[in-house]
PDB file of all heavy atoms in Angstrom:
ATOM      1  N   VAL A 240      98.593  92.872  93.273  1.00 93.00           N
ATOM      2  CA  VAL A 240      98.794  93.316  94.654  1.00 93.00           C
ATOM      3  C   VAL A 240      97.452  93.347  95.367  1.00 93.00           C
ATOM      4  O   VAL A 240      96.425  93.681  94.785  1.00 93.00           O
ATOM      5  CB  VAL A 240      99.462  94.707  94.710  1.00 93.00           C
ATOM      6  CG1 VAL A 240     100.905  94.616  94.318  1.00 93.00           C
ATOM      7  CG2 VAL A 240      98.734  95.710  93.833  1.00 93.00           C
ATOM      8  N   SER A 241      97.491  93.008  96.640  1.00 89.00           N
ATOM      9  CA  SER A 241      96.247  92.978  97.430  1.00 89.00           C
ATOM     10  C   SER A 241      96.288  93.974  98.590  1.00 89.00           C
ATOM     11  O   SER A 241      95.271  94.206  99.229  1.00 89.00           O
ATOM     12  CB  SER A 241      96.057  91.575  97.998  1.00 89.00           C
ATOM     13  OG  SER A 241      97.111  91.267  98.914  1.00 89.00           O
ATOM     14  N   GLY A 242      97.474  94.520  98.865  1.00 88.00           N
ATOM     15  CA  GLY A 242      97.640  95.318 100.074  1.00 88.00           C
ATOM     16  C   GLY A 242      98.231  94.515 101.214  1.00 88.00           C
ATOM     17  O   GLY A 242      98.615  95.053 102.242  1.00 88.00           O
ATOM     18  N   PHE A 265      95.745  96.200  91.257  1.00 95.00           N
ATOM     19  CA  PHE A 265      94.972  95.977  92.473  1.00 95.00           C
ATOM     20  C   PHE A 265      93.512  95.827  92.077  1.00 95.00           C
ATOM     21  O   PHE A 265      92.915  96.757  91.519  1.00 95.00           O
ATOM     22  CB  PHE A 265      95.149  97.144  93.446  1.00 95.00           C
ATOM     23  CG  PHE A 265      94.196  97.123  94.611  1.00 95.00           C
ATOM     24  CD1 PHE A 265      94.100  96.008  95.430  1.00 95.00           C
ATOM     25  CD2 PHE A 265      93.389  98.221  94.886  1.00 95.00           C
ATOM     26  CE1 PHE A 265      93.211  95.984  96.506  1.00 95.00           C
ATOM     27  CE2 PHE A 265      92.523  98.203  95.959  1.00 95.00           C
ATOM     28  CZ  PHE A 265      92.429  97.082  96.771  1.00 95.00           C
ATOM     29  N   VAL A 266      92.945  94.649  92.322  1.00 94.00           N
ATOM     30  CA  VAL A 266      91.555  94.378  91.970  1.00 94.00           C
ATOM     31  C   VAL A 266      90.696  94.588  93.230  1.00 94.00           C
ATOM     32  O   VAL A 266      90.837  93.850  94.207  1.00 94.00           O
ATOM     33  CB  VAL A 266      91.373  92.935  91.440  1.00 94.00           C
ATOM     34  CG1 VAL A 266      89.904  92.660  91.164  1.00 94.00           C
ATOM     35  CG2 VAL A 266      92.193  92.733  90.180  1.00 94.00           C
ATOM     36  N   ASP A 267      89.846  95.622  93.184  1.00 94.00           N
ATOM     37  CA  ASP A 267      88.896  95.848  94.263  1.00 94.00           C
ATOM     38  C   ASP A 267      87.685  94.949  94.014  1.00 94.00           C
ATOM     39  O   ASP A 267      86.874  95.214  93.118  1.00 94.00           O
ATOM     40  CB  ASP A 267      88.484  97.320  94.293  1.00 94.00           C
ATOM     41  CG  ASP A 267      87.426  97.606  95.360  1.00 94.00           C
ATOM     42  OD1 ASP A 267      87.086  96.699  96.141  1.00 94.00           O
ATOM     43  OD2 ASP A 267      86.930  98.754  95.400  1.00 94.00           O
ATOM     44  N   ASN A 268      87.588  93.882  94.773  1.00 94.00           N
ATOM     45  CA  ASN A 268      86.518  92.901  94.555  1.00 94.00           C
ATOM     46  C   ASN A 268      85.219  93.226  95.289  1.00 94.00           C
ATOM     47  O   ASN A 268      84.273  92.431  95.268  1.00 94.00           O
ATOM     48  CB  ASN A 268      87.002  91.506  94.936  1.00 94.00           C
ATOM     49  CG  ASN A 268      87.435  91.391  96.392  1.00 94.00           C
ATOM     50  OD1 ASN A 268      87.148  92.284  97.216  1.00 94.00           O
ATOM     51  ND2 ASN A 268      88.134  90.322  96.719  1.00 94.00           N
ATOM     52  N   GLY A 269      85.184  94.385  95.975  1.00 94.00           N
ATOM     53  CA  GLY A 269      83.978  94.761  96.669  1.00 94.00           C
ATOM     54  C   GLY A 269      83.738  93.992  97.945  1.00 94.00           C
ATOM     55  O   GLY A 269      82.687  94.107  98.597  1.00 94.00           O
ATOM     56  N   LEU A 270      84.730  93.192  98.356  1.00 95.00           N
ATOM     57  CA  LEU A 270      84.585  92.324  99.534  1.00 95.00           C
ATOM     58  C   LEU A 270      85.596  92.680 100.614  1.00 95.00           C
ATOM     59  O   LEU A 270      85.876  91.858 101.494  1.00 95.00           O
ATOM     60  CB  LEU A 270      84.758  90.852  99.095  1.00 95.00           C
ATOM     61  CG  LEU A 270      83.803  90.370  98.014  1.00 95.00           C
ATOM     62  CD1 LEU A 270      84.238  89.005  97.492  1.00 95.00           C
ATOM     63  CD2 LEU A 270      82.373  90.314  98.540  1.00 95.00           C
ATOM     64  N   LEU A 271      86.140  93.899 100.513  1.00 94.00           N
ATOM     65  CA  LEU A 271      87.135  94.327 101.489  1.00 94.00           C
ATOM     66  C   LEU A 271      86.478  95.022 102.674  1.00 94.00           C
ATOM     67  O   LEU A 271      85.277  95.271 102.690  1.00 94.00           O
ATOM     68  CB  LEU A 271      88.152  95.236 100.801  1.00 94.00           C
ATOM     69  CG  LEU A 271      88.901  94.599  99.615  1.00 94.00           C
ATOM     70  CD1 LEU A 271      89.821  95.601  98.971  1.00 94.00           C
ATOM     71  CD2 LEU A 271      89.655  93.360 100.066  1.00 94.00           C
ATOM     72  N   ARG A 272      87.308  95.358 103.665  1.00 94.00           N
ATOM     73  CA  ARG A 272      86.806  95.998 104.880  1.00 94.00           C
ATOM     74  C   ARG A 272      86.470  97.461 104.658  1.00 94.00           C
ATOM     75  O   ARG A 272      86.648  98.000 103.570  1.00 94.00           O
ATOM     76  CB  ARG A 272      87.870  95.861 105.983  1.00 94.00           C
ATOM     77  CG  ARG A 272      88.058  94.446 106.466  1.00 94.00           C
ATOM     78  CD  ARG A 272      89.253  94.349 107.375  1.00 94.00           C
ATOM     79  NE  ARG A 272      89.163  93.175 108.237  1.00 94.00           N
ATOM     80  CZ  ARG A 272      90.084  92.814 109.107  1.00 94.00           C
ATOM     81  NH1 ARG A 272      91.182  93.524 109.239  1.00 94.00           N
ATOM     82  NH2 ARG A 272      89.949  91.754 109.855  1.00 94.00           N
ATOM     83  N   HIS A 273      86.028  98.095 105.716  1.00 94.00           N
ATOM     84  CA  HIS A 273      85.627  99.505 105.682  1.00 94.00           C
ATOM     85  C   HIS A 273      86.748 100.382 105.140  1.00 94.00           C
ATOM     86  O   HIS A 273      87.840 100.426 105.716  1.00 94.00           O
ATOM     87  CB  HIS A 273      85.242  99.937 107.101  1.00 94.00           C
ATOM     88  CG  HIS A 273      84.915 101.385 107.215  1.00 94.00           C
ATOM     89  ND1 HIS A 273      83.751 101.948 106.695  1.00 94.00           N
ATOM     90  CD2 HIS A 273      85.572 102.423 107.804  1.00 94.00           C
ATOM     91  CE1 HIS A 273      83.714 103.220 106.942  1.00 94.00           C
ATOM     92  NE2 HIS A 273      84.808 103.560 107.619  1.00 94.00           N
ATOM     93  N   ARG A 274      86.525 101.027 104.001  1.00 93.00           N
ATOM     94  CA  ARG A 274      87.446 101.957 103.362  1.00 93.00           C
ATOM     95  C   ARG A 274      88.806 101.338 103.025  1.00 93.00           C
ATOM     96  O   ARG A 274      89.776 102.057 102.754  1.00 93.00           O
ATOM     97  CB  ARG A 274      87.658 103.203 104.237  1.00 93.00           C
ATOM     98  CG  ARG A 274      86.388 103.994 104.482  1.00 93.00           C
ATOM     99  CD  ARG A 274      86.708 105.385 104.933  1.00 93.00           C
ATOM    100  NE  ARG A 274      87.430 106.103 103.895  1.00 93.00           N
ATOM    101  CZ  ARG A 274      88.174 107.195 104.128  1.00 93.00           C
ATOM    102  NH1 ARG A 274      88.288 107.675 105.347  1.00 93.00           N
ATOM    103  NH2 ARG A 274      88.821 107.793 103.125  1.00 93.00           N
ATOM    104  N   GLU A 275      88.870 100.007 103.047  1.00 92.00           N
ATOM    105  CA  GLU A 275      90.164  99.363 102.822  1.00 92.00           C
ATOM    106  C   GLU A 275      90.646  99.542 101.393  1.00 92.00           C
ATOM    107  O   GLU A 275      91.833  99.749 101.127  1.00 92.00           O
ATOM    108  CB  GLU A 275      90.075  97.881 103.155  1.00 92.00           C
ATOM    109  CG  GLU A 275      91.388  97.143 103.064  1.00 92.00           C
ATOM    110  CD  GLU A 275      91.332  95.740 103.632  1.00 92.00           C
ATOM    111  OE1 GLU A 275      90.240  95.147 103.639  1.00 92.00           O
ATOM    112  OE2 GLU A 275      92.377  95.235 104.062  1.00 92.00           O
ATOM    113  N   ALA A 276      89.732  99.463 100.434  1.00 93.00           N
ATOM    114  CA  ALA A 276      90.142  99.587  99.027  1.00 93.00           C
ATOM    115  C   ALA A 276      90.777 100.945  98.773  1.00 93.00           C
ATOM    116  O   ALA A 276      91.835 101.028  98.122  1.00 93.00           O
ATOM    117  CB  ALA A 276      88.923  99.388  98.114  1.00 93.00           C
ATOM    118  N   GLU A 277      90.171 102.013  99.287  1.00 94.00           N
ATOM    119  CA  GLU A 277      90.736 103.344  99.080  1.00 94.00           C
ATOM    120  C   GLU A 277      92.086 103.492  99.753  1.00 94.00           C
ATOM    121  O   GLU A 277      93.028 104.072  99.179  1.00 94.00           O
ATOM    122  CB  GLU A 277      89.772 104.415  99.643  1.00 94.00           C
ATOM    123  CG  GLU A 277      88.408 104.439  98.956  1.00 94.00           C
ATOM    124  CD  GLU A 277      87.367 103.628  99.721  1.00 94.00           C
ATOM    125  OE1 GLU A 277      87.705 102.504 100.178  1.00 94.00           O
ATOM    126  OE2 GLU A 277      86.238 104.128  99.875  1.00 94.00           O
ATOM    127  N   GLN A 278      92.205 102.959 100.989  1.00 92.00           N
ATOM    128  CA  GLN A 278      93.471 103.068 101.730  1.00 92.00           C
ATOM    129  C   GLN A 278      94.570 102.273 101.036  1.00 92.00           C
ATOM    130  O   GLN A 278      95.693 102.763 100.892  1.00 92.00           O
ATOM    131  CB  GLN A 278      93.276 102.555 103.150  1.00 92.00           C
ATOM    132  CG  GLN A 278      92.403 103.476 103.999  1.00 92.00           C
ATOM    133  CD  GLN A 278      92.018 102.838 105.325  1.00 92.00           C
ATOM    134  OE1 GLN A 278      92.310 101.657 105.569  1.00 92.00           O
ATOM    135  NE2 GLN A 278      91.351 103.598 106.167  1.00 92.00           N
ATOM    136  N   VAL A 279      94.268 101.042 100.599  1.00 92.00           N
ATOM    137  CA  VAL A 279      95.261 100.202  99.927  1.00 92.00           C
ATOM    138  C   VAL A 279      95.733 100.883  98.639  1.00 92.00           C
ATOM    139  O   VAL A 279      96.929 100.970  98.351  1.00 92.00           O
ATOM    140  CB  VAL A 279      94.705  98.793  99.634  1.00 92.00           C
ATOM    141  CG1 VAL A 279      95.601  98.043  98.665  1.00 92.00           C
ATOM    142  CG2 VAL A 279      94.545  98.004 100.919  1.00 92.00           C
ATOM    143  N   ALA A 280      94.777 101.369  97.843  1.00 94.00           N
ATOM    144  CA  ALA A 280      95.128 102.016  96.589  1.00 94.00           C
ATOM    145  C   ALA A 280      96.005 103.234  96.812  1.00 94.00           C
ATOM    146  O   ALA A 280      97.005 103.444  96.115  1.00 94.00           O
ATOM    147  CB  ALA A 280      93.857 102.398  95.818  1.00 94.00           C
ATOM    148  N   GLY A 297      83.806  95.353  91.957  1.00 94.00           N
ATOM    149  CA  GLY A 297      82.903  94.845  92.995  1.00 94.00           C
ATOM    150  C   GLY A 297      81.599  94.304  92.443  1.00 94.00           C
ATOM    151  O   GLY A 297      81.104  93.262  92.881  1.00 94.00           O
ATOM    152  N   ARG A 405     100.024  94.434 109.278  1.00 88.00           N
ATOM    153  CA  ARG A 405      98.590  94.194 109.198  1.00 88.00           C
ATOM    154  C   ARG A 405      98.289  92.748 109.501  1.00 88.00           C
ATOM    155  O   ARG A 405      99.055  91.836 109.180  1.00 88.00           O
ATOM    156  CB  ARG A 405      98.052  94.510 107.779  1.00 88.00           C
ATOM    157  CG  ARG A 405      98.109  95.950 107.381  1.00 88.00           C
ATOM    158  CD  ARG A 405      97.644  96.117 105.944  1.00 88.00           C
ATOM    159  NE  ARG A 405      96.231  95.843 105.819  1.00 88.00           N
ATOM    160  CZ  ARG A 405      95.694  95.172 104.794  1.00 88.00           C
ATOM    161  NH1 ARG A 405      96.465  94.703 103.850  1.00 88.00           N
ATOM    162  NH2 ARG A 405      94.393  94.975 104.741  1.00 88.00           N
ATOM    163  N   PHE A 408      94.520  88.583 106.093  1.00 87.00           N
ATOM    164  CA  PHE A 408      93.135  88.743 105.662  1.00 87.00           C
ATOM    165  C   PHE A 408      92.889  87.754 104.553  1.00 87.00           C
ATOM    166  O   PHE A 408      93.696  87.617 103.637  1.00 87.00           O
ATOM    167  CB  PHE A 408      92.912  90.176 105.166  1.00 87.00           C
ATOM    168  CG  PHE A 408      91.465  90.524 104.883  1.00 87.00           C
ATOM    169  CD1 PHE A 408      90.513  90.524 105.903  1.00 87.00           C
ATOM    170  CD2 PHE A 408      91.055  90.833 103.581  1.00 87.00           C
ATOM    171  CE1 PHE A 408      89.191  90.834 105.641  1.00 87.00           C
ATOM    172  CE2 PHE A 408      89.736  91.141 103.310  1.00 87.00           C
ATOM    173  CZ  PHE A 408      88.796  91.152 104.339  1.00 87.00           C
ATOM    174  N   PRO A 409      91.757  87.000 104.594  1.00 86.00           N
ATOM    175  CA  PRO A 409      91.540  85.940 103.603  1.00 86.00           C
ATOM    176  C   PRO A 409      91.395  86.490 102.197  1.00 86.00           C
ATOM    177  O   PRO A 409      90.813  87.580 101.984  1.00 86.00           O
ATOM    178  CB  PRO A 409      90.230  85.291 104.082  1.00 86.00           C
ATOM    179  CG  PRO A 409      89.552  86.336 104.905  1.00 86.00           C
ATOM    180  CD  PRO A 409      90.657  87.107 105.557  1.00 86.00           C
ATOM    181  N   GLY A 410      91.936  85.760 101.215  1.00 83.00           N
ATOM    182  CA  GLY A 410      91.831  86.173  99.818  1.00 83.00           C
ATOM    183  C   GLY A 410      90.410  86.450  99.370  1.00 83.00           C
ATOM    184  O   GLY A 410      90.167  87.447  98.688  1.00 83.00           O
ATOM    185  N   PRO A 411      89.429  85.594  99.736  1.00 90.00           N
ATOM    186  CA  PRO A 411      88.046  85.874  99.329  1.00 90.00           C
ATOM    187  C   PRO A 411      87.393  87.006 100.120  1.00 90.00           C
ATOM    188  O   PRO A 411      86.213  87.308  99.910  1.00 90.00           O
ATOM    189  CB  PRO A 411      87.321  84.541  99.615  1.00 90.00           C
ATOM    190  CG  PRO A 411      88.396  83.526  99.746  1.00 90.00           C
ATOM    191  CD  PRO A 411      89.571  84.253 100.317  1.00 90.00           C
ATOM    192  N   GLY A 412      88.147  87.612 101.029  1.00 92.00           N
ATOM    193  CA  GLY A 412      87.650  88.777 101.758  1.00 92.00           C
ATOM    194  C   GLY A 412      86.485  88.445 102.695  1.00 92.00           C
ATOM    195  O   GLY A 412      86.399  87.352 103.253  1.00 92.00           O
ATOM    196  N   LEU A 413      85.573  89.393 102.833  1.00 95.00           N
ATOM    197  CA  LEU A 413      84.464  89.246 103.759  1.00 95.00           C
ATOM    198  C   LEU A 413      83.460  88.192 103.302  1.00 95.00           C
ATOM    199  O   LEU A 413      82.566  87.799 104.062  1.00 95.00           O
ATOM    200  CB  LEU A 413      83.749  90.584 103.941  1.00 95.00           C
ATOM    201  CG  LEU A 413      84.602  91.700 104.579  1.00 95.00           C
ATOM    202  CD1 LEU A 413      83.780  92.987 104.665  1.00 95.00           C
ATOM    203  CD2 LEU A 413      85.142  91.310 105.943  1.00 95.00           C
ATOM    204  N   ALA A 414      83.612  87.681 102.078  1.00 94.00           N
ATOM    205  CA  ALA A 414      82.694  86.659 101.580  1.00 94.00           C
ATOM    206  C   ALA A 414      82.733  85.406 102.445  1.00 94.00           C
ATOM    207  O   ALA A 414      81.721  84.700 102.568  1.00 94.00           O
ATOM    208  CB  ALA A 414      83.035  86.289 100.137  1.00 94.00           C
ATOM    209  N   LEU A 426      76.943  92.868 103.686  1.00 96.00           N
ATOM    210  CA  LEU A 426      78.322  93.384 103.659  1.00 96.00           C
ATOM    211  C   LEU A 426      78.439  94.666 104.475  1.00 96.00           C
ATOM    212  O   LEU A 426      79.413  94.839 105.201  1.00 96.00           O
ATOM    213  CB  LEU A 426      78.741  93.648 102.214  1.00 96.00           C
ATOM    214  CG  LEU A 426      79.311  92.475 101.413  1.00 96.00           C
ATOM    215  CD1 LEU A 426      79.377  92.813  99.928  1.00 96.00           C
ATOM    216  CD2 LEU A 426      80.686  92.089 101.936  1.00 96.00           C
ATOM    217  N   ASP A 427      77.459  95.540 104.337  1.00 96.00           N
ATOM    218  CA  ASP A 427      77.496  96.801 105.072  1.00 96.00           C
ATOM    219  C   ASP A 427      77.459  96.564 106.570  1.00 96.00           C
ATOM    220  O   ASP A 427      78.207  97.196 107.335  1.00 96.00           O
ATOM    221  CB  ASP A 427      76.316  97.693 104.646  1.00 96.00           C
ATOM    222  CG  ASP A 427      76.321  99.023 105.369  1.00 96.00           C
ATOM    223  OD1 ASP A 427      77.322  99.783 105.211  1.00 96.00           O
ATOM    224  OD2 ASP A 427      75.357  99.311 106.118  1.00 96.00           O
ATOM    225  N   LEU A 429      78.461  93.893 108.241  1.00 97.00           N
ATOM    226  CA  LEU A 429      79.713  93.302 108.713  1.00 97.00           C
ATOM    227  C   LEU A 429      80.835  94.334 108.692  1.00 97.00           C
ATOM    228  O   LEU A 429      81.652  94.376 109.612  1.00 97.00           O
ATOM    229  CB  LEU A 429      80.087  92.090 107.851  1.00 97.00           C
ATOM    230  CG  LEU A 429      81.356  91.346 108.302  1.00 97.00           C
ATOM    231  CD1 LEU A 429      81.247  90.891 109.737  1.00 97.00           C
ATOM    232  CD2 LEU A 429      81.640  90.186 107.367  1.00 97.00           C
ATOM    233  N   ARG A 430      80.895  95.138 107.637  1.00 97.00           N
ATOM    234  CA  ARG A 430      81.959  96.166 107.560  1.00 97.00           C
ATOM    235  C   ARG A 430      81.906  97.094 108.778  1.00 97.00           C
ATOM    236  O   ARG A 430      82.934  97.397 109.358  1.00 97.00           O
ATOM    237  CB  ARG A 430      81.805  96.985 106.284  1.00 97.00           C
ATOM    238  CG  ARG A 430      82.356  96.339 105.046  1.00 97.00           C
ATOM    239  CD  ARG A 430      82.514  97.333 103.927  1.00 97.00           C
ATOM    240  NE  ARG A 430      82.994  96.659 102.727  1.00 97.00           N
ATOM    241  CZ  ARG A 430      82.196  96.334 101.706  1.00 97.00           C
ATOM    242  NH1 ARG A 430      80.914  96.657 101.726  1.00 97.00           N
ATOM    243  NH2 ARG A 430      82.709  95.698 100.656  1.00 97.00           N
ATOM    244  N   ARG A 431      80.737  97.527 109.122  1.00 98.00           N
ATOM    245  CA  ARG A 431      80.613  98.484 110.234  1.00 98.00           C
ATOM    246  C   ARG A 431      80.982  97.822 111.569  1.00 98.00           C
ATOM    247  O   ARG A 431      81.680  98.417 112.393  1.00 98.00           O
ATOM    248  CB  ARG A 431      79.207  99.055 110.269  1.00 98.00           C
ATOM    249  CG  ARG A 431      78.918  99.959 109.063  1.00 98.00           C
ATOM    250  CD  ARG A 431      77.438 100.140 108.813  1.00 98.00           C
ATOM    251  NE  ARG A 431      76.770 100.815 109.936  1.00 98.00           N
ATOM    252  CZ  ARG A 431      75.443 100.844 110.080  1.00 98.00           C
ATOM    253  NH1 ARG A 431      74.666 100.226 109.214  1.00 98.00           N
ATOM    254  NH2 ARG A 431      74.928 101.490 111.113  1.00 98.00           N
ATOM    255  N   ASP A 433      82.937  95.120 111.985  1.00 98.00           N
ATOM    256  CA  ASP A 433      84.345  94.787 111.925  1.00 98.00           C
ATOM    257  C   ASP A 433      85.201  96.039 112.172  1.00 98.00           C
ATOM    258  O   ASP A 433      86.221  95.977 112.872  1.00 98.00           O
ATOM    259  CB  ASP A 433      84.674  94.174 110.571  1.00 98.00           C
ATOM    260  CG  ASP A 433      86.121  93.741 110.452  1.00 98.00           C
ATOM    261  OD1 ASP A 433      86.441  92.642 110.923  1.00 98.00           O
ATOM    262  OD2 ASP A 433      86.919  94.516 109.908  1.00 98.00           O
TER     263      ASP A 433
END
Side-chain angles (χ1 to χ4, degrees):
V240 288
S241 65
F265 169 55
V266 177
D267 177 5
N268 59 14
L270 302 169
L271 301 177
R272 291 171 159 178
H273 176 70
R274 298 199 63 200
E275 185 170 26
E277 299 95 316
Q278 291 169 353
V279 167
R405 293 177 68 220
F408 188 64
L413 297 179
L426 274 167
D427 181 61
L429 183 57
R430 279 196 183 102
R431 291 160 64 195
D433 183 83

